[in-house]
Amino acid sequence: MIKNHVMNTYGRADIIFEKGIGTKLYDTEGKEYLDFVSGIAVNCLGHSHPVIVNAIKAQSEKLMHVSNYYWNEYNIKLSDILTKNSDHESVFFTNSGAEALEGAMKLCRKYGKTQSEDKDVILYLSGSFHGRTMGAISITGQPAYQKPFMPIIPNTVMVEFNSVEDLKSKFTEKVCGIILEPVQGEGGLSACSMEFLQTAKDLCEKNDALLVFDEVQCGIGRLGTLFAYEKFGIIPDVICIAKALGGGVPIGAFIANEKTSNVLVPGDHGTTYGGNPFVCSVACAVLDELINNGVIKGVDAKSEYMKSKLLELKEKYPSKISEIKGMGLLIGFKLEGSPKEFMTKALEKGLLVIYANNNVVRLLPPLNVTEAEIDAAIELLDKVFAEF
């Protein structure tokens, strides 16, 4: 057991990683691991990618941080990249996905109150996960996350995942917004149906409420498009992003469309570190690599290849894999057995995977993963299944 004074809030494996290159991680004993967790969908270009390393070196020698009372060039440049590649108008930079969701909640509440004092209800979905802050757990549809911290923020109402009937019954004139993940990550790689998303969009327009997509895990190329909403053809009013945006440095954002871009005014919301020149310069480099150097364009083909290999495993182990789940490179399988135990056995074999709810094992490789690396992961999974 590793001795330390870090607060015990994670079930950490008894391993210390000290370096990473591409899809490979190395611990302090020199053992090599194939990383199909990617920092939980953060390391979209893998470890120590030269584009990121060079951006870090260059900007750290120029300017790390200034207050948001002043402009910096990369804050402006990154906002331009995000808005030019979306259907949206303005960006607020945060340090994490949870903070992006907090900002989106405030945006919904203020937008509602410009119409009526009691238009303050926020809807969210069962099975969802939006972060660990008090606001984020108040819209997280998993009671286990909420119970120890009750009471949660009031006027947040849960809707049954993909139930159009339940959505319609709870979408009153008091609703100021609905926040959802188009593909639930922590919830088990389940995608919202087109009917559900279209109904949510129609109800928002009818009741002048905001549709917010949490794309923290499923966005920034993970589904094969820069933004997840592009895969569904439903344009939300607000998008929340983080994780892969910085490729490893902490940055998030919420992006607002034209009708919501001026709702928050000076004094309504703020951040000390959000949007500083260091993280924004790295994010610009990451997006350039993803968008302009073909990384995102290659995701669909890699996804199909991985799915075909997982289906072969399902045929080989029909009593252990019941379903292949997910989209793009947010992919995995429903396991007949303990996913936590499976993850531990995979780690022993030198493969990093992560589990989600409903007995789902997630595979989240870097977006520039090769077919040879996918083959190597499948071979290791095969060995785990043989002993599982």
Side-chain angles (χ1 to χ4, degrees):
M1 180 65 68
I2 295 169
K3 293 183 178 180
N4 66 86
H5 296 280
V6 177
M7 195 173 289
N8 184 27
T9 57
Y10 297 96
R12 287 184 171 95
D14 204 27
I15 297 171
I16 299 175
F17 288 119
E18 65 175 1
K19 68 176 182 178
I21 302 171
T23 57
K24 304 291 182 14
L25 278 170
Y26 300 87
D27 67 17
T28 49
E29 303 299 317
K31 182 178 177 179
E32 181 181 279
Y33 299 80
L34 185 58
D35 184 5
F36 269 47
V37 174
S38 300
I40 315 180
V42 168
N43 303 107
C44 58
L45 297 176
H47 301 281
S48 305
H49 193 286
V51 161
I52 295 176
V53 172
N54 291 337
I56 288 172
K57 286 180 178 178
Q59 191 59 36
S60 66
E61 293 175 348
K62 290 171 59 179
L63 185 66
M64 296 282 284
H65 176 78
V66 291
S67 166
N68 277 310
Y69 284 111
Y70 316 101
W71 293 105
N72 71 77
E73 62 175 315
Y74 284 105
N75 183 288
I76 297 169
K77 183 178 179 181
L78 183 56
S79 67
D80 286 346
I81 294 171
L82 292 170
T83 54
K84 286 176 181 177
N85 285 280
S86 69
D87 296 275
H88 297 73
E89 184 68 24
S90 66
V91 184
F92 185 98
F93 291 112
T94 67
N95 306 290
S96 67
E99 289 178 54
L101 267 295
E102 290 280 345
M105 290 178 72
K106 288 177 70 174
L107 183 58
C108 288
R109 282 274 171 89
K110 188 176 180 189
Y111 185 82
K113 287 186 178 296
T114 60
Q115 302 169 54
S116 169
E117 267 303 311
D118 62 355
K119 192 175 180 64
D120 58 7
V121 173
I122 296 176
L123 303 181
Y124 63 96
L125 305 189
S126 63
S128 61
F129 179 82
H130 297 291
R132 304 280 187 170
T133 59
M134 279 304 297
I137 64 169
S138 297
I139 55 168
T140 286
Q142 299 182 50
Y145 289 113
Q146 296 180 341
K147 188 176 179 181
F149 307 104
M150 288 293 205
I152 59 173
I153 291 175
N155 295 346
T156 55
V157 177
M158 188 171 74
V159 174
E160 190 65 30
F161 180 75
N162 269 347
S163 172
V164 171
E165 183 179 342
D166 196 38
L167 176 63
K168 288 180 177 178
S169 69
K170 291 174 178 174
F171 210 117
T172 69
E173 69 279 358
K174 292 186 177 181
V175 171
C176 61
I178 176 170
I179 298 177
L180 58 87
E181 302 155 278
V183 181
Q184 292 187 341
E186 183 80 16
L189 304 184
S190 297
C192 290
S193 69
M194 285 301 303
E195 182 187 10
F196 186 87
L197 290 177
Q198 188 61 61
T199 302
K201 176 74 171 178
D202 293 344
L203 287 169
C204 283
E205 290 182 351
K206 179 182 177 181
N207 293 277
D208 201 6
L210 302 185
L211 177 61
V212 180
F213 277 16
D214 175 351
E215 299 194 8
V216 170
Q217 187 168 151
C218 63
I220 310 298
R222 185 61 49 181
L223 301 189
T225 50
L226 181 59
F227 296 104
Y229 78 83
E230 297 174 87
K231 277 288 183 183
F232 295 88
I234 304 288
I235 302 174
D237 297 296
V238 182
I239 317 165
C240 295
I241 55 174
K243 289 190 181 289
L245 179 61
V249 300
I251 182 173
F254 60 96
I255 311 173
N257 64 1
E258 187 175 0
K259 80 173 181 179
T260 59
S261 63
N262 295 313
V263 171
L264 298 177
V265 298
D268 282 343
H269 200 47
T271 172
T272 297
Y273 296 107
N276 72 56
F278 178 74
V279 294
C280 285
S281 68
V282 176
C284 286
V286 169
L287 289 179
D288 181 60
E289 183 71 13
L290 292 178
I291 298 168
N292 299 321
N293 287 337
V295 176
I296 291 177
K297 290 180 181 177
V299 167
D300 284 342
K302 292 171 185 177
S303 174
E304 289 305 310
Y305 184 75
M306 191 184 297
K307 282 181 181 177
S308 70
K309 294 297 181 180
L310 288 173
L311 284 169
E312 289 176 9
L313 281 181
K314 184 177 182 295
E315 291 175 6
K316 187 174 182 179
Y317 302 102
S319 64
K320 299 177 182 180
I321 301 176
S322 61
E323 184 181 359
I324 307 301
K325 302 203 68 178
M327 297 172 63
L329 291 176
L330 179 61
I331 195 170
F333 49 87
K334 189 166 185 178
L335 185 70
E336 295 301 318
S338 167
K340 187 174 182 179
E341 181 183 340
F342 188 93
M343 184 178 77
T344 301
K345 287 185 177 294
L347 188 64
E348 292 170 359
K349 299 290 185 186
L351 174 67
L352 273 65
V353 297
I354 190 169
Y355 64 90
N357 284 342
N358 299 317
N359 279 31
V360 170
V361 174
R362 278 179 286 175
L363 305 174
L364 307 168
L367 302 184
N368 55 357
V369 67
T370 65
E371 287 192 0
E373 289 165 337
I374 292 172
D375 288 340
I378 295 296
E379 184 178 338
L380 290 170
L381 286 172
D382 194 351
K383 291 178 179 179
V384 177
F385 276 115
E387 299 177 7
F388 185 68

